[in-house]
Amino acid sequence: MKNLILSFFLLINSIVIAQSSIKGKVTTGQNPLPSANVILKKTNKTTVTDSEGNYRFTNVPQGNYDIIASYTGFTADKKAISVTDSLDITVDFDLKENNSLDEVVVTGTLKPVSRLESAVPVEVYKPSFFKKNPTANVFEALQNVNGVRPQLNCNVCNTGDIHINGLEGPYTLVLIDGMPIVSGLSTVYGLSGIPNSLLDRIEIVKGPASSLYGSEAVGGLINIITKKPYSAPLFSADSFTTDWGEFNLDLGFKANLGKTTSVLTGVNYFNYSNPIDNNNDNFTDVTLQDRVSVFQKWNFERKSNKLLSVAGRYFYEDRWGGELQWNKSFRGGDEVYGESIYTKRWELLGAYELPFTEKMLFNFSYTDHDQNSVYGNTPYIAKQRIGFGQLTWDKKINNHDLLFGSALRYQYYNDNTTATVEEDITWIPSLFVQDEIAFNENHKILLGARYDYNNNHGNIFTPRFAYKWKVNNNNIIRFNTGTGFRIVNLFTEEHAALTGSRDVIVLETLKPERSYNANLNYLKKIYTNKGAFIGIETTAWYTYFTNSILPDYDTNPNQIIYKNLDGYAVTTGISTNIDMIFGNGLKFIVGATFMEVSKKEDEIKTQQILTEKFSGTWAISYRVNPLYLDIDYTGNVYGPMRLPLLGDLDPRAEYSPTWSIQNIQFTFNKFKNIEIYAGIKNLLNWTPNKGNPFIIARAHDPFDENVKVSDGNTNDTNNYGQKGNFVPNGQVVDTADNPYALTFDPSYVYGPNQGIRSFLGLRYTLR
């Protein structure tokens, strides 16, 4: 018995002796990183660093381990260690700012590749970038991306789209996890309510990508990529409010269901119900909104380790703008003007890697968009459904990296407008192939081609060519050229076709637009002796359009005229992004774009409406470690844009001024898992009504009851707003009540009406 007891104590003693402790410090340059995550692989041990960047694991058994340190906005670092005795082991980490140059991207070539190795330039933006200026949706968040501008299309309902390099929103394809579920009618709504807790990164390609993605990828594409469950926190919450009364709540949850299934859930809720009219036109400055979005993503582990994931989202929004006295009892009537939109969306997307030796992937998506809206007394009831399936085969043969693909897209659209006589059903089968040829480490070309058949427009062929020259590790040159095409549905893309007093005139059957593009990209990396990093990326582009379909506001101020351009349109420019990271905690992200977007018809060249000639963005960040404080100063600036006037007597400025939106934020992160942030948006209190007598034309007479029109041949006039008295092609007559000969029109909009406001928020993350 004594021998047994002695053996037991010797065993316990040997176990204790065999266990060690691991300690260390996580820094960036000379500065400690508090609240950094440290994981000891092969164990259940995780911890976070203290205020000085220190961490410690105790009672670590003998063995070989990987230890990983990570922090949002920095590149994670992994080190291998061997524990052989009871001594303390010190493992320090020096994390580098993640400048996104070494990110793995998928958008440019439909396959994972290092951003530095991609033949197609891809810009990557992580959640840490968007946290510098917190917003309630992705649409607003993109305002600080160089060359990308969220464009409001209406002063009343505040719907909008995304401009890339000066091209209108319908030229940009928006994807979620690579699937084109956001399109046409749903673009602005698809970019709203995506829970930030599920956002892994946003990849942006500027320039045509139709050879891989088909129609709409003419000006560029935005790919919103959600997190994988293994990289997501167990729980996250992010909520903020502003002194205007806006409230945003973002929640994320992760759970494991058995050994092979994990599920990620995100919920976003936004509410703004405080009518404000600072420009005194009796219209809401900002649309009132009540929005909820629920997103869920399921990942299944298979014995073959092949991919299987399914995700879905439900989105509902009730938004309205209009006269301050409007309420839902006036919806659709002609007593009080309001624009009210009820939106419901269902989205489903997934990926399944086929159980073959070859790497074959099937992706699918489906979206159902139901919109019930009224613009004054004009109803617009629309349904849009988009189904998409795509099979790709990724095959490498010697120095050829091949991709073969086949896709089928189904589009359904129907509305209550007179322009839509019957429901529109479109089938678009596609075939595409891509060959990336690596001649050596420094030279690579990419060849691609896509064939689409549209049951309304026939055969469409889009080729592509790209060349990448890696001069050395710090200098890369890329050249891309290709074609694009776009098929237009006016009522899903042009808000101006639904609201205001202008009549929509379609002069002909609209043909698909075609584009021919070339761009040259140069990437330069500079590392200084003091540990600083400077990244410079410059792109010059030229795009030529035939069959362009641009809204004509100029020929007749009472009409919007659509037809294929009898001439051509051109967009050309140069854009530069500069990232500067210093060891003292200071970081600069600065961008500038200079461009010209014009059209030429009948030998007359004009600047496209609502397109700036130059723009700039910046994000300046500084970390004050002793105070546990991050300071972010962000902003943008836009040059003059030509604006849609209603006639020669219209007193509003023909061109917008140079204007800027600037913001500052302070983030306090002393407490474990918690960030408290506060700041001010629109520091300059800029709004577009400054320098203008009014923004909305005849806001006091939104139903045009007192507008007089004449046919131009007689002296007879009629009241424009009264039923039965409409004069075809009539000209508005200036009167004592209407000295500028205007009709009600909210389309004179180029920037947000929301002035200076403060915000306060809290983030909590449990890993």
Side-chain angles (χ1 to χ4, degrees):
M1 183 68 180
K2 291 182 179 179
N3 291 335
L4 182 61
I5 294 173
L6 179 62
S7 299
F8 175 79
F9 278 106
L10 288 173
L11 177 61
I12 296 297
N13 186 55
S14 66
I15 292 175
V16 172
I17 291 175
Q19 291 187 332
S20 304
S21 65
I22 302 172
K23 64 179 181 179
K25 191 168 188 175
V26 180
T27 60
T28 174
Q30 303 296 320
N31 302 302
L33 273 180
S35 300
N37 298 292
V38 186
I39 301 173
L40 189 64
K41 302 291 285 185
K42 297 183 182 179
T43 73
N44 61 354
K45 295 180 181 292
T46 64
T47 188
V48 295
T49 56
D50 61 19
S51 60
E52 299 299 322
N54 298 311
Y55 74 93
R56 187 182 186 91
F57 294 115
T58 58
N59 299 326
V60 181
Q62 291 184 359
N64 297 318
Y65 303 93
D66 287 332
I67 184 169
I68 301 172
S70 63
Y71 190 89
T72 300
F74 291 75
T75 301
D77 192 11
K78 179 173 71 173
K79 294 185 179 181
I81 60 172
S82 179
V83 178
T84 57
D85 50 44
S86 60
L87 297 177
D88 283 345
I89 299 173
T90 300
V91 182
D92 294 330
F93 294 90
D94 184 21
L95 301 187
K96 305 299 183 184
E97 284 267 12
N98 187 349
N99 54 61
S100 298
L101 295 180
D102 59 349
E103 289 281 350
V104 173
V105 296
V106 297
T107 306
T109 59
L110 274 181
K111 57 175 66 181
V113 62
S114 165
R115 184 185 169 211
L116 290 175
E117 296 302 321
S118 173
V120 178
V122 181
E123 297 181 12
V124 181
Y125 297 92
K126 302 287 282 185
S128 56
F129 175 83
F130 298 111
K131 286 180 179 179
K132 298 175 188 294
N133 177 33
T135 60
N137 54 60
V138 175
F139 177 79
E140 294 179 21
L142 293 171
Q143 65 185 280
N144 286 328
V145 176
N146 182 31
V148 177
R149 181 170 66 86
Q151 166 66 41
L152 293 177
N153 292 329
C154 175
N155 272 304
V156 180
C157 68
N158 291 164
T159 54
D161 52 38
I162 298 295
H163 289 204
I164 291 183
N165 288 345
L167 294 176
E168 293 283 343
Y171 291 87
T172 298
L173 179 64
V174 181
L175 314 166
I176 296 181
D177 287 339
M179 291 291 96
I181 65 174
V182 181
S183 173
L185 175 69
S186 57
T187 296
V188 66
Y189 306 104
L191 286 170
S192 298
I194 296 175
N196 292 327
S197 57
L198 296 187
L199 183 63
D200 180 71
R201 65 188 186 274
I202 294 179
E203 297 182 2
I204 298 177
V205 174
K206 298 174 181 176
S210 293
S211 63
L212 278 183
Y213 294 95
S215 179
E216 298 168 9
V218 178
L221 57 91
I222 299 171
N223 192 1
I224 300 168
I225 299 175
T226 59
K227 289 180 179 177
K228 295 179 174 61
Y230 69 79
S231 64
L234 289 174
F235 173 75
S236 65
D238 187 348
S239 180
F240 71 85
T241 185
T242 73
D243 63 355
W244 275 51
E246 298 161 295
F247 174 77
N248 186 74
L249 175 64
D250 199 270
L251 301 174
F253 312 86
K254 180 175 72 172
N256 294 321
L257 306 178
K259 296 182 179 180
T260 61
T261 305
S262 57
V263 60
L264 194 59
T265 303
V267 179
N268 175 259
Y269 175 71
F270 176 77
N271 180 270
Y272 172 63
S273 53
N274 179 36
I276 292 178
D277 178 25
N278 285 338
N279 59 13
N280 299 315
D281 60 3
N282 195 43
F283 272 71
T284 54
D285 289 345
V286 178
T287 303
L288 286 78
Q289 301 173 53
D290 194 26
R291 180 177 72 233
V292 63
S293 176
V294 180
F295 187 100
Q296 193 166 79
K297 185 175 185 179
W298 294 69
N299 272 52
F300 303 91
E301 293 187 14
R302 299 161 63 189
K303 292 182 179 179
S304 60
N305 290 323
K306 291 184 177 293
L307 176 66
L308 174 57
S309 69
V310 179
R313 183 170 78 121
Y314 173 73
F315 172 93
Y316 175 79
E317 183 181 69
D318 175 2
R319 69 161 61 198
W320 75 269
E323 295 185 274
L324 296 179
Q325 61 270 33
W326 188 92
N327 59 54
K328 290 185 178 180
S329 67
F330 296 108
R331 191 175 196 266
D334 56 6
E335 296 180 54
V336 179
Y337 188 90
E339 297 186 2
S340 171
I341 303 172
Y342 302 147
T343 303
K344 291 187 294 185
R345 281 178 60 81
W346 293 92
E347 299 167 357
L348 178 69
L349 62 153
Y352 174 70
E353 196 171 351
L354 273 60
F356 303 140
T357 303
E358 298 291 340
K359 191 173 182 179
M360 302 183 73
L361 180 66
F362 176 70
N363 294 92
F364 64 89
S365 66
Y366 178 80
T367 179
D368 190 300
H369 185 102
D370 188 348
Q371 182 168 322
N372 181 319
S373 52
V374 292
Y375 301 91
N377 57 0
T378 302
Y380 174 62
I381 314 298
K383 291 183 179 293
Q384 185 179 43
R385 303 180 189 125
I386 299 176
F388 183 82
Q390 177 174 276
L391 178 65
T392 57
W393 176 26
D394 187 351
K395 180 71 174 178
K396 292 186 178 181
I397 303 176
N398 299 324
N399 64 334
H400 294 264
D401 194 349
L402 296 159
L403 182 74
F404 302 93
S406 176
L408 178 64
R409 179 166 175 151
Y410 163 80
Q411 297 180 162
Y412 169 91
Y413 175 77
N414 196 15
D415 64 33
N416 66 315
T417 66
T418 56
T420 306
V421 179
E422 59 183 15
E423 58 188 23
D424 180 20
I425 297 177
T426 305
W427 292 91
I428 308 177
S430 310
L431 296 171
F432 57 90
V433 62
Q434 178 179 272
D435 184 9
E436 193 170 41
I437 308 169
F439 296 100
N440 52 48
E441 183 181 353
N442 297 328
H443 296 276
K444 180 186 295 184
I445 67 169
L446 183 145
L447 305 173
R450 182 184 181 104
Y451 166 77
D452 293 84
Y453 177 79
N454 185 293
N455 61 310
N456 294 321
H457 298 282
N459 303 312
I460 301 174
F461 179 69
T462 48
R464 178 189 202 185
F465 171 82
Y467 168 67
K468 172 178 167 286
W469 176 23
K470 184 179 179 182
V471 181
N472 52 47
N473 289 331
N474 297 327
N475 294 273
I476 297 174
I477 297 173
R478 298 178 177 95
F479 173 75
N480 279 256
T481 185
T483 65
F485 73 96
R486 185 173 76 94
I487 297 167
V488 177
N489 186 317
L490 294 179
F491 289 91
T492 67
E493 299 172 0
E494 288 290 349
H495 177 268
L498 301 170
T499 185
S501 61
R502 294 177 184 254
D503 303 309
V504 177
I505 306 297
V506 182
L507 296 182
E508 60 189 7
T509 300
L510 299 176
K511 302 174 184 177
E513 292 185 351
R514 298 302 302 259
S515 70
Y516 305 87
N517 170 273
N519 68 68
L520 183 65
N521 174 270
Y522 173 58
L523 176 64
K524 172 73 175 179
K525 297 185 294 179
I526 302 172
Y527 297 91
T528 70
N529 294 330
K530 296 184 178 181
F533 168 82
I534 301 174
I536 304 172
E537 186 166 11
T538 299
T539 302
W541 75 90
Y542 176 88
T543 307
Y544 180 95
F545 293 92
T546 61
N547 288 338
S548 284
I549 304 169
L550 302 173
D552 179 1
Y553 291 85
D554 301 320
T555 300
N556 187 326
N558 298 316
Q559 298 176 344
I560 310 172
I561 300 173
Y562 295 96
K563 67 181 181 66
N564 287 110
L565 188 67
D566 185 15
Y568 61 88
V570 170
T571 172
T572 183
I574 186 169
S575 177
T576 297
N577 290 316
I578 302 175
D579 289 13
M580 294 178 285
I581 303 170
F582 302 95
N584 62 358
L586 187 63
K587 181 176 181 179
F588 291 82
I589 303 175
V590 182
T593 298
F594 297 87
M595 61 187 174
E596 180 175 329
V597 182
S598 62
K599 64 178 181 178
K600 191 170 185 179
E601 190 171 28
D602 298 327
E603 300 303 317
I604 299 175
K605 182 178 178 182
T606 56
Q607 179 183 342
Q608 186 172 310
I609 280 182
L610 295 173
T611 302
E612 68 277 13
K613 286 199 172 185
F614 70 87
S615 64
T617 58
W618 66 86
I620 302 173
S621 304
Y622 183 67
R623 173 165 293 166
V624 186
N625 282 306
L627 300 179
Y628 307 95
L629 187 67
D630 289 326
I631 304 173
D632 294 294
Y633 171 50
T634 60
N636 50 54
V637 61
Y638 299 105
M641 309 175 198
R642 193 166 71 89
L643 303 174
L645 299 180
L646 292 180
D648 295 336
L649 298 178
D650 194 330
R652 295 173 295 182
E654 182 181 3
Y655 286 85
S656 67
T658 297
W659 56 281
S660 175
I661 300 290
Q662 302 178 23
N663 322 283
I664 193 165
Q665 175 183 252
F666 303 90
T667 305
F668 184 67
N669 48 33
K670 179 179 181 179
F671 305 111
K672 181 180 178 180
N673 300 333
I674 294 177
E675 289 183 339
I676 302 171
Y677 58 93
I680 299 175
K681 290 178 178 289
N682 198 355
L683 283 164
L684 303 180
N685 196 27
W686 178 88
T687 52
N689 61 296
K690 295 182 178 179
N692 272 309
F694 50 82
I695 294 295
I696 299 177
R698 291 190 65 80
H700 66 284
D701 185 20
F703 295 101
D704 291 329
E705 294 179 349
N706 297 312
V707 172
K708 304 290 186 180
V709 294
S710 170
D711 62 9
N713 298 319
T714 69
N715 294 323
D716 294 333
T717 61
N718 289 311
N719 282 56
Y720 180 67
Q722 296 182 0
K723 293 181 180 179
N725 288 329
F726 174 69
V727 179
N729 299 316
Q731 300 297 315
V732 178
V733 178
D734 58 295
T735 64
D737 179 68
N738 189 12
Y740 304 121
L742 304 178
T743 55
F744 173 72
D745 185 24
S747 64
Y748 185 94
V749 56
Y750 56 93
N753 281 320
Q754 197 168 20
I756 189 171
R757 60 204 182 279
S758 61
F759 64 92
L760 175 66
L762 175 72
R763 297 188 187 100
Y764 175 77
T765 305
L766 178 64
R767 297 190 178 277

